[in-house]
Amino acid sequence: PASIAVVQGEEIKSRPALSVAEHIRDLPGVDLARTGLVQNNVVVRGFNNIFSGALLSLTDNRIARVPPLRVNTYQFIPVTSDDIERIEVVLGPGSALYGPNSANGVMHIITHSPFNSVGTSAKVGLGGRDLRKVELRHTGLVNEQLGYKISGQFYSGTDWESQGVSQETRERDFGVERKSAEFRLDYRPVDDLQAIFAAGYNEGDHIELTGLGAGQVQGWGTNFVQARLLYRDWFAQVFRNWSSAGDTYLLGTGTQIIDRSSLTVLQLQHNAALGQRQRFTYGIDGLLTRP
């Protein structure tokens, strides 16, 4: 019951991009502000700013924002372009389907199941700003009930250099680097039962603009583990996101940014029909944020 725009996987695979945000920039109603080689701020209902977390960003039903700040750093999402089945963007409030924190729209990245994407792919990219990029993905089946996926990527480059920056305690490093890896295991013992386990890691170096000024990101790492269970009209999942800011600091003051936060989420949802014309979706969400 909402206006939803969709970007399909074939279009995503054919478009070179350093961030998933670049795949939705041409959709109607999407406002994207690019602040660097890999940095983007995206909203769909206005009020964009330098440090935006208004748009609820999900990857396979998992909240994909930095846990304590609830800010969307799309370059931290460890997914390769070959692994994306589609991206759905809900242009209005999405609480009926997505629960809390979705009043300002939703971007949902849905990845391929190992059962329908068996094979190995590799991509190498070169570009301006000293850009070098490598993506690897392998998917296989152990048997008819068990499938797995392993993917990873690395890129490096040089961000656009600013002129006339003053009153900063330390010199800016315009180098950009990112490495990430993801693993997924799918188990389907019968047709209407599916269990999915996934884990991912990402680490990056770049300059990130914040409400307190530019920050020099050095070794900021984000991790997640997720388990999902789908049985007929039931859906249940538990996941944990956690991050570590590494040696990140504010350029204006030299103050170190310390982050050892986590987000743990438990969700249960059920669909029920009442006759032929009415269908209910209801459930419970538990979110525990530890800043």
Side-chain angles (χ1 to χ4, degrees):
S3 176
I4 300 177
V6 180
V7 183
Q8 297 293 345
E10 291 303 317
E11 180 180 352
I12 293 169
K13 289 171 64 174
S14 64
R15 175 186 292 166
L18 297 177
S19 165
V20 294
E22 297 180 39
H23 297 303
I24 67 170
R25 64 185 179 188
D26 297 327
L27 294 179
V30 172
D31 175 22
L32 183 146
R34 191 168 188 176
T35 58
L37 187 65
V38 298
Q39 306 93 314
N40 299 276
N41 291 313
V42 184
V43 298
V44 299
R45 305 193 75 202
F47 304 103
N48 208 348
N49 58 51
I50 204 67
F51 209 51
S52 179
L55 180 67
L56 177 61
S57 299
L58 306 172
T59 302
D60 290 328
N61 303 106
R62 179 183 63 85
I63 298 172
R65 299 186 291 198
V66 177
L69 305 172
R70 289 189 177 178
V71 64
N72 291 319
T73 50
Y74 298 102
Q75 66 272 23
F76 281 3
I77 300 176
V79 61
T80 64
S81 57
D82 283 352
D83 202 30
I84 300 176
E85 179 180 328
R86 66 185 185 277
I87 300 176
E88 299 180 353
V89 179
V90 181
L91 301 178
S95 299
L97 294 177
Y98 293 98
N101 307 314
S102 56
N104 291 304
V106 180
M107 182 185 76
H108 192 184
I109 303 165
I110 300 170
T111 65
H112 287 287
S113 167
F115 290 105
N116 57 24
S117 60
V118 174
T120 302
S121 64
K123 285 185 177 181
V124 177
L126 305 174
R129 312 303 308 173
D130 303 318
L131 181 64
R132 305 291 185 269
K133 181 181 179 181
V134 178
E135 286 187 2
L136 299 172
R137 180 180 184 272
H138 173 69
T139 307
L141 299 179
V142 178
N143 51 47
E144 294 182 355
Q145 290 81 35
L146 188 63
Y148 66 92
K149 177 198 69 179
I150 302 172
S151 62
Q153 60 179 309
F154 171 84
Y155 63 66
S156 63
T158 304
D159 218 329
W160 287 281
E161 297 179 4
S162 56
Q163 302 295 327
V165 176
S166 61
Q167 298 179 346
E168 289 188 351
T169 59
R170 300 171 71 172
E171 185 178 354
R172 292 191 175 205
D173 180 2
F174 293 98
V176 174
E177 186 174 294
R178 178 203 180 190
K179 49 183 176 287
S180 66
E182 191 174 18
F183 172 76
R184 172 170 164 170
L185 191 68
D186 284 32
Y187 178 56
R188 292 181 181 176
V190 293
D191 290 340
D192 54 2
L193 176 62
Q194 183 177 3
I196 303 169
F197 173 79
Y201 165 77
N202 184 89
E203 184 177 316
D205 302 331
H206 60 276
I207 295 175
E208 186 72 37
L209 303 183
T210 79
L212 299 176
Q216 187 76 58
V217 176
Q218 293 185 337
W220 193 310
T222 58
N223 310 266
F224 79 88
V225 290
Q226 178 188 26
R228 289 181 284 163
L229 183 68
L230 296 86
Y231 177 66
R232 296 182 179 175
D233 292 329
W234 288 92
F235 169 81
Q237 76 164 344
V238 58
F239 65 84
R240 178 178 172 85
N241 301 334
W242 70 97
S243 70
S244 174
D247 297 321
T248 301
Y249 59 90
L250 288 173
L251 283 163
T253 62
T255 305
Q256 186 178 4
I257 297 177
I258 299 174
D259 176 36
R260 292 186 292 271
S261 61
S262 66
L263 170 67
T264 304
V265 176
L266 175 65
Q267 296 177 316
L268 179 66
Q269 188 180 92
H270 183 247
N271 288 298
L274 180 62
Q276 299 296 320
R277 301 180 60 184
Q278 182 65 54
R279 191 166 185 87
F280 295 95
T281 300
Y282 58 95
I284 185 171
D285 295 79
L287 290 78
L288 176 64
T289 303
R290 290 297 188 192

